[in-house]
Amino acid sequence: MRVLLISDSPLFNTGYGNIAKQFALSMPPEVEVAFGSLQHMPGMLYLEEGGRRFRHYGCNPPLKIEEAVEDFRPDVVMHLRDVLAHIQRWYPPAYSVRQYSRDAEVWGWIPVQHLIVPWEYVDVCMREYDLTLTFTRWGMNAMGNAGHVRNSLDYLMPCISPSYSQPEGPVADVGRKGVRLVMSVGVHDSPRKMFPMLMAAYRHIADRIDLDFYLHTYQAGSYDLPAHIAEMGVGGHWLFPYSYFKERGLTEETMARIYRRATAYCAVGTGEGLNMPLMEACAMGRFVIFPEFPNNLEVTSDYTPDRLKRAVRCHVTPSQSMAWESLMDVDDLASALEEVATAEPDPEAGRRYYERHSGERMAERFVSIAKARGLL
């Protein structure tokens, strides 16, 4: 079986690009994967990773997908990206994958992060894809409840990189010695990454608990975070990377060292289609705090014991994209941060969680889906 994976570049070590790379590295020999990178100019190169060699087609602009299809002859063209990529109203350079895929099946591997899924999302999936694969079971059900034909729906949860399989090991020198560190990751070029709520919550408890926070993001994006820190009167507790470039930032090995340094991880997104950093933190055995959003609850459902996780109640509010966003309650978030004072990481719990979300487990599920469709 041949799969042409259309997504961000596998050279990126974050987001869709990293999910694409981990997918390819996890597949058994009977599944041959080639990359179709939407960032690279036309042409075909090879990517060598983990002792394996993959074709890497440049599919920028997207009409070059057709050339990759003609050369690779895939059984499946799989589009790994947000559905917004097909909707011009929300993404002006919108494109189609189906029109370039010839006789191959077209699968969409997508995040679903809306409590109420807009019909536009459902409609474009049913027009573009023979099979819609959501990242989570909840996402699959949300699409079905919104009107997507259920016999062309399934789910495939992305795996965690092996770089986060060892909760014990080298530790980063981040923050003040002897002070517990709370870590958070997110690209706040979207206002949905609500880092200011973390600052507002800490203001309520700063006189009772001394914490440091490492925010792996821009200092100024959708929010001017240094200005928020000053306004909240909680200066002296916040650390950022020296520079932040979301596509090619710190290596996974460096990020793993920072996770090990942290006592806790706090997710701040108002809606997540998966929340990979939260999953990585679980694999590293950290105490995790997260908004009580369905996908967050699903990806942490098998992270045990329960003392390692804390869901924060949310207030639901409408947003600009016909969706509903889940804003954490500041008082409840402050209460969760107080629990960091007594929390202890659990490396064994992290190892158990990683095994449940490893590349091998993802590959097993993918193969079962392909066999059910007669492709293996």
Side-chain angles (χ1 to χ4, degrees):
M1 176 184 180
R2 287 188 160 194
V3 178
L4 176 61
L5 190 53
I6 306 296
S7 190
D8 290 351
S9 170
L11 299 178
F12 295 172
N13 61 3
T14 59
Y16 295 120
N18 195 39
I19 291 174
K21 181 174 70 175
Q22 296 305 326
F23 173 86
L25 290 171
S26 300
M27 287 300 107
E30 61 266 31
V31 179
E32 183 180 355
V33 179
F35 299 107
S37 169
L38 293 163
Q39 283 78 27
H40 289 252
M41 299 305 288
M44 197 274 285
L45 303 171
Y46 287 97
L47 173 66
E48 294 188 358
E49 183 85 20
R52 300 177 67 176
R53 196 174 193 230
F54 304 96
R55 299 190 200 195
H56 184 192
Y57 295 95
C59 294
N60 180 14
L63 61 88
K64 294 298 181 180
I65 294 171
E66 188 169 23
E67 294 181 8
V69 169
E70 182 176 357
D71 184 71
F72 188 58
R73 301 290 180 179
D75 300 290
V76 171
V77 177
M78 189 157 74
H79 183 248
L80 167 59
R81 252 188 169 190
D82 197 299
V83 177
L84 287 176
H86 303 310
I87 304 174
Q88 192 170 31
R89 184 157 74 97
W90 298 112
Y91 183 64
Y95 56 89
S96 169
V97 173
R98 174 168 291 283
Q99 74 178 92
Y100 304 123
S101 296
R102 301 197 175 184
D103 296 329
E105 284 198 19
V106 182
W107 295 7
W109 194 15
I110 65 168
V112 177
Q113 52 208 22
H114 301 298
L115 291 172
I116 302 173
V117 178
W119 171 250
E120 278 181 291
Y121 283 49
V122 175
D123 181 55
V124 76
C125 283
M126 292 196 296
R127 286 188 286 108
E128 277 285 323
Y129 306 141
D130 297 295
L131 177 66
T132 300
L133 287 172
T134 62
F135 286 173
T136 63
R137 186 189 295 270
W138 176 84
M140 177 186 69
N141 290 332
M143 289 290 283
N145 293 339
H148 195 296
V149 176
R150 291 185 183 268
N151 64 6
S152 59
L153 263 178
D154 212 322
Y155 75 96
L156 179 68
M157 189 175 289
C159 69
I160 301 170
S161 167
S163 297
Y164 305 108
S165 64
Q166 298 298 325
E168 296 174 301
V171 177
D173 183 15
V174 176
R176 292 170 292 159
K177 300 292 185 185
V179 176
R180 291 177 175 238
L181 182 74
V182 178
M183 180 180 178
S184 192
V185 176
V187 185
H188 80 109
D189 52 10
S190 163
R192 303 177 69 201
K193 305 300 184 184
M194 288 292 292
F195 291 105
M197 299 197 75
L198 196 56
M199 296 150 191
Y202 186 57
R203 177 179 60 175
H204 293 313
I205 63 169
D207 61 341
R208 301 193 300 275
I209 177 172
D210 187 19
L211 297 173
D212 278 343
F213 295 82
Y214 174 76
L215 307 185
H216 192 68
T217 190
Y218 311 106
Q219 292 194 45
S222 292
Y223 307 101
D224 184 340
L225 297 182
H228 279 280
I229 291 167
E231 183 177 346
M232 297 293 173
V234 289
H237 298 268
W238 307 86
L239 302 107
F240 298 87
Y242 177 74
S243 63
Y244 181 81
F245 182 37
K246 66 180 181 181
E247 289 85 4
R248 299 184 185 89
L250 301 180
T251 65
E252 289 185 328
E253 291 72 23
T254 299
M255 291 298 294
R257 292 187 180 98
I258 301 173
Y259 278 116
R260 294 187 193 106
R261 166 65 180 90
T263 300
Y265 178 87
C266 184
V268 297
T270 60
E272 299 287 354
L274 179 69
N275 208 333
M276 182 59 79
L278 177 60
M279 296 175 67
E280 292 166 354
C282 291
M284 299 299 282
R286 304 302 100 175
F287 176 66
V288 294
I289 301 168
F290 51 87
E292 198 174 32
F293 182 84
N295 282 332
N296 288 338
L297 293 171
E298 180 171 336
V299 302
T300 59
S301 62
D302 55 354
Y303 185 44
T304 55
D306 289 344
R307 61 176 169 77
L308 292 171
K309 57 190 178 185
R310 174 63 152 79
V312 176
R313 66 175 178 269
C314 293
H315 303 283
V316 178
T317 182
S319 78
Q320 61 184 356
S321 62
M322 302 186 306
W324 293 83
E325 306 292 345
S326 299
L327 295 173
M328 285 188 286
D329 181 89
V330 173
D331 290 334
D332 199 32
L333 177 55
S335 175
L337 289 173
E338 283 193 292
E339 296 177 28
V340 176
T342 56
E344 294 296 338
D346 187 334
E348 188 54 39
R351 294 186 189 96
R352 291 195 303 268
Y353 183 85
Y354 173 78
E355 288 302 317
R356 298 183 187 112
H357 297 274
S358 66
E360 290 79 4
R361 291 291 182 90
M362 180 186 66
E364 289 170 5
R365 177 146 185 81
F366 179 84
V367 167
S368 71
I369 292 168
K371 285 181 176 178
R373 297 184 68 84
L375 293 167
L376 280 175

